[in-house]
Structure formats: structure tokens, C-alpha cells
Amino acid sequence: MTAELTGTAELTGTAELPSGSLEFAALYAQAQHFYARQMRILDTHDTESWADTFTEDAVLELPTLYEPVRARAALTHYVRAGAARQRRAGRRLDHWVGMLDVRPRADGALRTRCSALVYATPTGGGPRVLYVYVMEDLLVRTHGTWRAAHRRVTRDDLA
């Protein structure tokens, strides 16, 4: 099976694990844990730890940017700037990830797709959903932990 994440990155070699198998269940739980941890880190503005959830040469494609953000150092800079904007605006952003689809690949990587809600909570106010995103990732295991090597984010209202 061949799947294309972007026009330049081709993902091939999907391993067919039965969705009811213990091996698949373990991989699925690991992917869920990866996203729960990654979003929690992002929401606390721990930019270095968040960037560490990506590979050194990671690519992040966002619908609001003309060019992808490349490499871990650029990811750190991008998230740090976003956190500063939120503080100046007097609101906190939080992320919720769900509807996770995990496709193991023959090379051991995981192809994932999930929905992400971004909601804002202004100081003294209640939360409000800002965006609904779809995230498509290539997760690879490096040094015993999952990291995103390539993330493509699309926003429903810009599709």
C-alpha cells in the first residue's frame, strides 16, 4: 500500500497488523500516549521539550505558513513565538487530540492521522473552540522513544 503525506514525502510499506492483535493494541496505546504527552507539553509552553518530540530533521507543514518549518531548532523558535503571542493576548491555548488512526509500516514507523481541537481560554473567561485540525504524522522510534519526523496539519475552515 502506498500513501502520500505530501507532494514530496511518500510513505510506503504499510504493515498489516490485525486491529485486534495485542501488538497493534500496544502500538496504538503508545501513539495515544505520544500525543497526550506532546500536547500537554505544548500547552505548558515547554518549547524545548516539545521540540524534542520531533526528530532533528523534522518537517512541520502548517496551513497558515507559506513554507514548512524544518528542523528542531526552527520548531522551538516557532512555538516560543506563538506562546509569547498568546501571553500578550491574555489567553491560554489548549489542545485536545482524538479520532486517532494508526497504521504501522513495514519499516517500524507509524503513519497516524487524528483530529485536534484548539481552544482558547481568556483570563477570567470560559473556553472557546478556535480551530479544528487534522494532523497527519510519520512517527519514528529514535533512542527508544517515538518522535514525529513529518507532520502535516490541515485546518477544516481553510480546506
Side-chain angles (χ1 to χ4, degrees), residues 126-144:
R128 181 175 67 90
V129 173
L130 293 179
Y131 308 112
V132 179
Y133 290 104
V134 172
M135 290 190 323
E136 296 175 281
D137 281 359
L138 175 63
L139 300 182
V140 297
R141 192 179 288 283
T142 58
H143 305 295

Side-chain angles (χ1 to χ4, degrees), residues 18-27:
S19 61
S21 75
L22 289 177
E23 183 181 0
F24 178 80
L27 288 174

Side-chain angles (χ1 to χ4, degrees), residues 8-157:
T8 59
E10 186 176 288
L11 304 179
T12 60
T14 300
E16 295 298 329
L17 290 178
S19 61
S21 75
L22 289 177
E23 183 181 0
F24 178 80
L27 288 174
Y28 192 89
Q30 289 171 23
Q32 281 186 312
H33 181 260
F34 170 82
Y35 287 109
R37 181 176 172 275
Q38 187 185 53
M39 294 301 124
R40 194 169 45 252
I41 291 169
L42 178 61
D43 292 342
T44 61
H45 307 295
D46 183 352
T47 55
E48 286 77 19
S49 293
W50 181 80
D52 193 44
T53 66
F54 290 82
T55 61
E56 286 288 341
D57 59 348
V59 174
L60 174 62
E61 296 181 67
L62 297 168
T64 55
L65 299 178
Y66 293 107
E67 294 183 351
V69 179
R70 298 180 186 277
R72 196 180 288 167
L75 292 169
T76 302
H77 175 76
Y78 176 77
V79 171
R80 188 176 291 130
R85 282 191 305 275
Q86 296 310 314
R87 281 192 295 274
R88 286 192 303 273
R91 66 182 185 182
R92 186 184 80 236
L93 288 186
D94 291 298
H95 297 75
W96 178 88
V97 172
M99 296 181 59
L100 176 62
D101 183 38
V102 177
R103 307 278 172 127
R105 291 179 11 146
D107 65 0
L110 300 176
R111 168 87 165 82
T112 66
R113 179 183 169 98
C114 60
S115 296
L117 298 178
V118 179
Y119 55 98
T121 305
T123 303
R128 181 175 67 90
V129 173
L130 293 179
Y131 308 112
V132 179
Y133 290 104
V134 172
M135 290 190 323
E136 296 175 281
D137 281 359
L138 175 63
L139 300 182
V140 297
R141 192 179 288 283
T142 58
H143 305 295
T145 190
W146 291 107
R147 288 190 168 83
H150 194 139
R151 173 168 293 165
R152 181 174 182 237
V153 178
T154 54
R155 207 168 91 188
D156 281 358
D157 63 323

